[in-house]
Amino acid sequence: MKIIELAIEFEFNGQRNCIYPSLIVLNHELTLVDTGYAQFLPLIEEAIVAHGYELANLKNIIITHYDDDHIGSLYDFKQKYPWVHLIASEEEAKYISGAMKSERLGQAEAMLENMVGKEREFGEWFIRQLKSLKHIPIDEQVRDGEVILNGTCRVIATAGHTSGHISLYFPSVQSVITGDAAVNEEHKLTIANPQFCLDIKEAERSLQKVLDLQANTYYCYHGGKLVLS
């Protein structure tokens, strides 16, 4: 098996940005981890094809958590590739499916009350983005410590950024896909957007949990992969 970093470049507010979904290749089958913002389906398809793989072999999509930059194109993927198996934690599945109002939307609405001017305009835009996300049921709900993908991957609960956030540990290749439990900043793992963590203390514990795995490679959604040895 191998893990491939997909570099998805885009422009936001006049600035170049990049996110890094992961592609897991196992026995000629593909598993995508996180799907970018809404309308990112073509960008991710292009990146997968550029690495020499076919979308016909896409078997699973794993969602680390429900934020809009991670599930924005999930609905589109399922519509275009209906056979794809969707995987997320039990907690996140409630928000992705729309069974419960997302914690992030509640947080954004509460923060809006104290915003003015340009900050408030951005807050209002962000709330519209969250409300526009298309809900979709999750096929498989996983728990902390569960082993998936033919025994190659262990689910690691990494709450804090959101309550049901998960990361993925691959012992055979000493690698971790962190989601937003960790970000690569100046070649160091740190907490992603601590000001938006729903529980900063949990986020700190989760970051330490990820570090304690002592992996050789950490695939961070923001900042890209970090190779330690």
Side-chain angles (χ1 to χ4, degrees), residues 85-121:
H85 190 67
L86 307 184
I87 303 170
S89 73
E90 290 181 303
E91 185 74 13
E92 300 294 299
K94 296 184 296 185
Y95 306 119
I96 297 169
S97 69
M100 291 186 65
K101 177 181 175 179
S102 82
E103 298 165 303
R104 186 70 70 211
L105 178 55
Q107 179 192 49
E109 290 173 337
M111 292 176 68
L112 187 67
E113 296 177 6
N114 298 315
M115 292 180 176
V116 294
K118 292 291 184 181
E119 186 181 54
R120 185 177 181 87
E121 288 180 17

Tab-separated table of all heavy atoms in Angstrom, residues 85-121:
chain	number	residue	atom	x	y	z
A	85	HIS	N	-17.974	4.003	-1.035
A	85	HIS	CA	-18.363	3.735	0.351
A	85	HIS	C	-17.883	4.892	1.220
A	85	HIS	O	-16.685	5.194	1.271
A	85	HIS	CB	-17.705	2.416	0.780
A	85	HIS	CG	-18.181	1.867	2.076
A	85	HIS	ND1	-19.463	1.390	2.270
A	85	HIS	CD2	-17.536	1.699	3.258
A	85	HIS	CE1	-19.579	0.943	3.508
A	85	HIS	NE2	-18.437	1.132	4.129
A	86	LEU	N	-18.806	5.560	1.915
A	86	LEU	CA	-18.471	6.733	2.721
A	86	LEU	C	-18.264	6.339	4.179
A	86	LEU	O	-19.108	5.670	4.777
A	86	LEU	CB	-19.576	7.786	2.621
A	86	LEU	CG	-19.987	8.214	1.206
A	86	LEU	CD1	-21.012	9.329	1.283
A	86	LEU	CD2	-18.784	8.631	0.375
A	87	ILE	N	-17.143	6.787	4.751
A	87	ILE	CA	-16.748	6.402	6.109
A	87	ILE	C	-16.466	7.660	6.935
A	87	ILE	O	-15.789	8.583	6.478
A	87	ILE	CB	-15.483	5.521	6.076
A	87	ILE	CG1	-15.707	4.278	5.202
A	87	ILE	CG2	-15.064	5.110	7.482
A	87	ILE	CD1	-14.438	3.478	4.927
A	88	ALA	N	-16.981	7.688	8.157
A	88	ALA	CA	-16.693	8.778	9.091
A	88	ALA	C	-16.957	8.267	10.501
A	88	ALA	O	-17.499	7.171	10.697
A	88	ALA	CB	-17.553	9.999	8.794
A	89	SER	N	-16.608	9.060	11.493
A	89	SER	CA	-16.883	8.661	12.877
A	89	SER	C	-18.372	8.759	13.167
A	89	SER	O	-19.125	9.448	12.469
A	89	SER	CB	-16.109	9.548	13.857
A	89	SER	OG	-16.678	10.847	13.916
A	90	GLU	N	-18.797	8.074	14.212
A	90	GLU	CA	-20.208	8.110	14.616
A	90	GLU	C	-20.659	9.537	14.887
A	90	GLU	O	-21.760	9.942	14.497
A	90	GLU	CB	-20.411	7.247	15.863
A	90	GLU	CG	-20.273	5.759	15.621
A	90	GLU	CD	-20.501	4.960	16.882
A	90	GLU	OE1	-19.788	5.203	17.874
A	90	GLU	OE2	-21.400	4.090	16.885
A	91	GLU	N	-19.806	10.302	15.560
A	91	GLU	CA	-20.172	11.671	15.931
A	91	GLU	C	-20.304	12.563	14.692
A	91	GLU	O	-21.283	13.291	14.530
A	91	GLU	CB	-19.118	12.244	16.876
A	91	GLU	CG	-19.440	13.616	17.433
A	91	GLU	CD	-20.519	13.609	18.500
A	91	GLU	OE1	-20.857	12.524	19.001
A	91	GLU	OE2	-21.019	14.694	18.819
A	92	GLU	N	-19.312	12.496	13.809
A	92	GLU	CA	-19.341	13.352	12.623
A	92	GLU	C	-20.469	12.975	11.677
A	92	GLU	O	-21.021	13.835	10.975
A	92	GLU	CB	-17.997	13.280	11.891
A	92	GLU	CG	-16.807	13.727	12.716
A	92	GLU	CD	-16.846	15.201	13.078
A	92	GLU	OE1	-16.835	16.043	12.168
A	92	GLU	OE2	-16.881	15.504	14.282
A	93	ALA	N	-20.815	11.687	11.628
A	93	ALA	CA	-21.868	11.213	10.714
A	93	ALA	C	-23.191	11.932	10.960
A	93	ALA	O	-23.952	12.189	10.022
A	93	ALA	CB	-22.044	9.706	10.857
A	94	LYS	N	-23.469	12.301	12.206
A	94	LYS	CA	-24.720	12.990	12.534
A	94	LYS	C	-24.808	14.355	11.861
A	94	LYS	O	-25.877	14.782	11.422
A	94	LYS	CB	-24.828	13.160	14.056
A	94	LYS	CG	-24.928	11.860	14.833
A	94	LYS	CD	-25.129	12.104	16.318
A	94	LYS	CE	-23.935	12.811	16.936
A	94	LYS	NZ	-24.070	12.938	18.416
A	95	TYR	N	-23.671	15.027	11.779
A	95	TYR	CA	-23.644	16.366	11.184
A	95	TYR	C	-23.567	16.294	9.658
A	95	TYR	O	-24.180	17.102	8.956
A	95	TYR	CB	-22.465	17.148	11.743
A	95	TYR	CG	-22.447	17.195	13.246
A	95	TYR	CD1	-21.397	16.655	13.972
A	95	TYR	CD2	-23.504	17.759	13.958
A	95	TYR	CE1	-21.379	16.689	15.359
A	95	TYR	CE2	-23.498	17.802	15.348
A	95	TYR	CZ	-22.424	17.256	16.041
A	95	TYR	OH	-22.426	17.277	17.413
A	96	ILE	N	-22.798	15.332	9.134
A	96	ILE	CA	-22.658	15.182	7.688
A	96	ILE	C	-24.003	14.818	7.059
A	96	ILE	O	-24.357	15.291	5.980
A	96	ILE	CB	-21.586	14.127	7.355
A	96	ILE	CG1	-20.208	14.583	7.877
A	96	ILE	CG2	-21.507	13.891	5.842
A	96	ILE	CD1	-19.149	13.502	7.844
A	97	SER	N	-24.755	13.977	7.763
A	97	SER	CA	-26.054	13.535	7.236
A	97	SER	C	-27.153	14.570	7.426
A	97	SER	O	-28.227	14.465	6.827
A	97	SER	CB	-26.475	12.233	7.929
A	97	SER	OG	-26.790	12.478	9.293
A	98	GLY	N	-26.900	15.560	8.291
A	98	GLY	CA	-27.918	16.564	8.590
A	98	GLY	C	-28.871	16.151	9.691
A	98	GLY	O	-29.843	16.855	9.973
A	99	ALA	N	-28.589	15.017	10.337
A	99	ALA	CA	-29.436	14.580	11.453
A	99	ALA	C	-29.367	15.571	12.605
A	99	ALA	O	-30.323	15.708	13.377
A	99	ALA	CB	-29.019	13.185	11.919
A	100	MET	N	-28.240	16.260	12.720
A	100	MET	CA	-28.079	17.287	13.744
A	100	MET	C	-27.415	18.516	13.130
A	100	MET	O	-26.614	18.406	12.199
A	100	MET	CB	-27.225	16.768	14.915
A	100	MET	CG	-27.885	15.700	15.756
A	100	MET	SD	-26.888	15.250	17.210
A	100	MET	CE	-26.925	16.804	18.132
A	101	LYS	N	-27.755	19.687	13.657
A	101	LYS	CA	-27.103	20.926	13.240
A	101	LYS	C	-25.629	20.867	13.616
A	101	LYS	O	-25.280	20.486	14.733
A	101	LYS	CB	-27.779	22.108	13.929
A	101	LYS	CG	-27.156	23.464	13.649
A	101	LYS	CD	-27.915	24.543	14.403
A	101	LYS	CE	-27.277	25.899	14.256
A	101	LYS	NZ	-28.043	26.951	14.980
A	102	SER	N	-24.761	21.263	12.702
A	102	SER	CA	-23.328	21.137	12.956
A	102	SER	C	-22.871	22.073	14.070
A	102	SER	O	-23.369	23.195	14.216
A	102	SER	CB	-22.525	21.405	11.688
A	102	SER	OG	-22.352	22.782	11.458
A	103	GLU	N	-21.907	21.613	14.821
A	103	GLU	CA	-21.317	22.423	15.889
A	103	GLU	C	-20.668	23.683	15.304
A	103	GLU	O	-20.698	24.748	15.912
A	103	GLU	CB	-20.261	21.610	16.627
A	103	GLU	CG	-20.787	20.369	17.313
A	103	GLU	CD	-19.651	19.452	17.707
A	103	GLU	OE1	-18.869	19.059	16.830
A	103	GLU	OE2	-19.550	19.123	18.893
A	104	ARG	N	-20.057	23.542	14.121
A	104	ARG	CA	-19.369	24.682	13.523
A	104	ARG	C	-20.357	25.792	13.163
A	104	ARG	O	-20.072	26.977	13.350
A	104	ARG	CB	-18.612	24.235	12.265
A	104	ARG	CG	-17.756	25.313	11.656
A	104	ARG	CD	-16.543	25.643	12.536
A	104	ARG	NE	-15.581	24.546	12.527
A	104	ARG	CZ	-14.798	24.239	13.542
A	104	ARG	NH1	-14.864	24.938	14.675
A	104	ARG	NH2	-13.935	23.244	13.466
A	105	LEU	N	-21.533	25.412	12.677
A	105	LEU	CA	-22.553	26.409	12.362
A	105	LEU	C	-23.010	27.107	13.633
A	105	LEU	O	-23.152	28.337	13.657
A	105	LEU	CB	-23.740	25.761	11.654
A	105	LEU	CG	-24.919	26.666	11.310
A	105	LEU	CD1	-24.473	27.864	10.484
A	105	LEU	CD2	-26.002	25.884	10.580
A	106	GLY	N	-23.221	26.358	14.693
A	106	GLY	CA	-23.607	26.963	15.968
A	106	GLY	C	-22.542	27.911	16.481
A	106	GLY	O	-22.845	29.008	16.985
A	107	GLN	N	-21.272	27.516	16.342
A	107	GLN	CA	-20.160	28.363	16.760
A	107	GLN	C	-20.130	29.651	15.945
A	107	GLN	O	-19.975	30.749	16.498
A	107	GLN	CB	-18.847	27.604	16.581
A	107	GLN	CG	-17.609	28.406	16.962
A	107	GLN	CD	-16.327	27.717	16.498
A	107	GLN	OE1	-16.221	27.303	15.345
A	107	GLN	NE2	-15.363	27.581	17.397
A	108	ALA	N	-20.298	29.528	14.629
A	108	ALA	CA	-20.249	30.696	13.746
A	108	ALA	C	-21.376	31.672	14.049
A	108	ALA	O	-21.178	32.893	14.055
A	108	ALA	CB	-20.312	30.242	12.287
A	109	GLU	N	-22.566	31.141	14.306
A	109	GLU	CA	-23.708	32.002	14.613
A	109	GLU	C	-23.497	32.739	15.931
A	109	GLU	O	-23.856	33.917	16.062
A	109	GLU	CB	-24.988	31.172	14.642
A	109	GLU	CG	-25.417	30.688	13.253
A	109	GLU	CD	-26.589	29.730	13.293
A	109	GLU	OE1	-26.808	29.082	14.354
A	109	GLU	OE2	-27.291	29.603	12.280
A	110	ALA	N	-22.902	32.062	16.911
A	110	ALA	CA	-22.642	32.695	18.201
A	110	ALA	C	-21.572	33.783	18.073
A	110	ALA	O	-21.690	34.865	18.666
A	110	ALA	CB	-22.210	31.641	19.218
A	111	MET	N	-20.520	33.511	17.281
A	111	MET	CA	-19.441	34.486	17.097
A	111	MET	C	-19.917	35.716	16.338
A	111	MET	O	-19.417	36.824	16.547
A	111	MET	CB	-18.267	33.832	16.369
A	111	MET	CG	-17.547	32.763	17.174
A	111	MET	SD	-16.233	31.941	16.234
A	111	MET	CE	-15.045	33.272	16.053
A	112	LEU	N	-20.908	35.550	15.460
A	112	LEU	CA	-21.400	36.649	14.631
A	112	LEU	C	-21.958	37.787	15.475
A	112	LEU	O	-21.872	38.963	15.084
A	112	LEU	CB	-22.474	36.125	13.667
A	112	LEU	CG	-22.976	37.103	12.608
A	112	LEU	CD1	-21.857	37.429	11.610
A	112	LEU	CD2	-24.188	36.517	11.877
A	113	GLU	N	-22.493	37.465	16.626
A	113	GLU	CA	-23.124	38.468	17.480
A	113	GLU	C	-22.148	39.569	17.900
A	113	GLU	O	-22.549	40.701	18.171
A	113	GLU	CB	-23.720	37.797	18.720
A	113	GLU	CG	-24.846	36.822	18.401
A	113	GLU	CD	-25.371	36.123	19.652
A	113	GLU	OE1	-24.914	36.502	20.761
A	113	GLU	OE2	-26.222	35.234	19.523
A	114	ASN	N	-20.846	39.230	17.965
A	114	ASN	CA	-19.843	40.193	18.424
A	114	ASN	C	-18.999	40.745	17.284
A	114	ASN	O	-17.977	41.386	17.518
A	114	ASN	CB	-18.933	39.542	19.466
A	114	ASN	CG	-19.697	39.097	20.700
A	114	ASN	OD1	-20.527	39.846	21.221
A	114	ASN	ND2	-19.435	37.889	21.165
A	115	MET	N	-19.417	40.524	16.044
A	115	MET	CA	-18.650	40.986	14.888
A	115	MET	C	-19.247	42.259	14.308
A	115	MET	O	-20.457	42.472	14.362
A	115	MET	CB	-18.626	39.905	13.809
A	115	MET	CG	-17.842	38.667	14.179
A	115	MET	SD	-17.877	37.440	12.841
A	115	MET	CE	-16.784	36.179	13.511
A	116	VAL	N	-18.367	43.089	13.730
A	116	VAL	CA	-18.822	44.305	13.056
A	116	VAL	C	-18.026	44.460	11.757
A	116	VAL	O	-16.984	43.847	11.553
A	116	VAL	CB	-18.602	45.564	13.939
A	116	VAL	CG1	-19.480	45.498	15.178
A	116	VAL	CG2	-17.132	45.710	14.316
A	117	GLY	N	-18.544	45.311	10.866
A	117	GLY	CA	-17.820	45.672	9.657
A	117	GLY	C	-17.477	44.491	8.768
A	117	GLY	O	-18.280	43.581	8.545
A	118	LYS	N	-16.234	44.507	8.241
A	118	LYS	CA	-15.770	43.476	7.320
A	118	LYS	C	-15.772	42.094	7.971
A	118	LYS	O	-16.044	41.083	7.321
A	118	LYS	CB	-14.356	43.806	6.834
A	118	LYS	CG	-14.281	45.038	5.946
A	118	LYS	CD	-14.959	44.781	4.594
A	118	LYS	CE	-14.808	45.956	3.664
A	118	LYS	NZ	-15.477	45.732	2.353
A	119	GLU	N	-15.455	42.075	9.263
A	119	GLU	CA	-15.438	40.801	9.973
A	119	GLU	C	-16.832	40.183	9.985
A	119	GLU	O	-17.003	38.989	9.779
A	119	GLU	CB	-14.931	40.989	11.402
A	119	GLU	CG	-14.749	39.687	12.168
A	119	GLU	CD	-14.264	39.912	13.586
A	119	GLU	OE1	-14.935	40.692	14.318
A	119	GLU	OE2	-13.237	39.330	13.969
A	120	ARG	N	-17.842	41.033	10.205
A	120	ARG	CA	-19.214	40.531	10.212
A	120	ARG	C	-19.637	40.063	8.810
A	120	ARG	O	-20.318	39.046	8.676
A	120	ARG	CB	-20.180	41.607	10.717
A	120	ARG	CG	-21.615	41.088	10.856
A	120	ARG	CD	-22.561	42.117	11.426
A	120	ARG	NE	-23.899	41.554	11.559
A	120	ARG	CZ	-24.323	40.879	12.621
A	120	ARG	NH1	-23.502	40.658	13.646
A	120	ARG	NH2	-25.552	40.394	12.660
A	121	GLU	N	-19.206	40.789	7.788
A	121	GLU	CA	-19.519	40.371	6.415
A	121	GLU	C	-18.960	38.986	6.134
A	121	GLU	O	-19.625	38.150	5.523
A	121	GLU	CB	-18.945	41.386	5.414
A	121	GLU	CG	-19.685	42.706	5.376
A	121	GLU	CD	-19.075	43.657	4.373
A	121	GLU	OE1	-18.307	43.181	3.491
A	121	GLU	OE2	-19.349	44.867	4.456
